[in-house]
Amino acid sequence: MERFRFSPGAGDVLALAGRRGYVHLVDWSSSGVSRGGQVIGEVKMNVAVKGIAWQRDGRELLTLGEDSEVYVWDVGTRKCVDRWRDEGGFGSCALESSNDGNWTAVGCVPLLLLWSTP
């Protein structure tokens, strides 16, 4: 439960990364929290989730996989509407998007090469 993100605006939906590529969508409105935060849906990637971001005023959810691939989900239908790879991404671990969906940033850990000479 180390990767999660509240939907923009009122924060009524919590996207929470689970195991094996699952992202659970939890009702975080006042009625949902009083019931313990009821799971209202989920989406599934092919690899482990490394980042989560919302865009289009909460209508789309972006998820970043350990393979540097970004999935774009329509939250209403729970369907993947686009998918693209961060070319040159290695160790991608952070994802951020502008609320209007015009900008997306993927962050990664710099590659550190160590070698010894004989």
Side-chain angles (χ1 to χ4, degrees):
M1 291 185 27
E2 45 186 73
R3 290 175 182 84
F4 63 91
R5 195 63 77 91
F6 286 98
S7 62
D12 290 345
V13 178
L14 172 66
L16 176 65
R19 294 183 180 184
R20 295 185 227 52
Y22 281 96
V23 177
H24 307 285
L25 302 173
V26 180
D27 180 2
W28 209 256
S29 63
S30 59
S31 61
V33 173
S34 66
R35 291 185 309 230
Q38 182 176 356
V39 175
I40 56 175
E42 62 190 14
V43 296
K44 185 179 185 317
M45 301 174 53
N46 294 329
V47 296
V49 180
K50 293 296 183 179
I52 300 171
W54 290 92
Q55 70 178 16
R56 308 242 185 256
D57 297 321
R59 293 187 312 266
E60 288 183 350
L61 179 70
L62 276 64
T63 56
L64 171 67
E66 66 185 359
D67 59 356
S68 299
E69 201 159 57
V70 176
Y71 291 64
V72 181
W73 303 94
D74 180 306
V75 175
T77 63
R78 315 283 196 269
K79 301 252 186 234
C80 182
V81 294
D82 197 8
R83 197 165 111 177
W84 52 273
R85 181 177 304 276
D86 177 31
E87 294 301 327
F90 179 80
S92 297
C93 60
L95 180 67
E96 193 59 60
S97 179
S98 62
N99 199 22
D100 60 8
N102 289 333
W103 299 94
T104 301
V106 178
C108 60
V109 177
L111 175 62
L112 175 62
L113 299 175
L114 300 175
W115 68 91
S116 62
T117 55

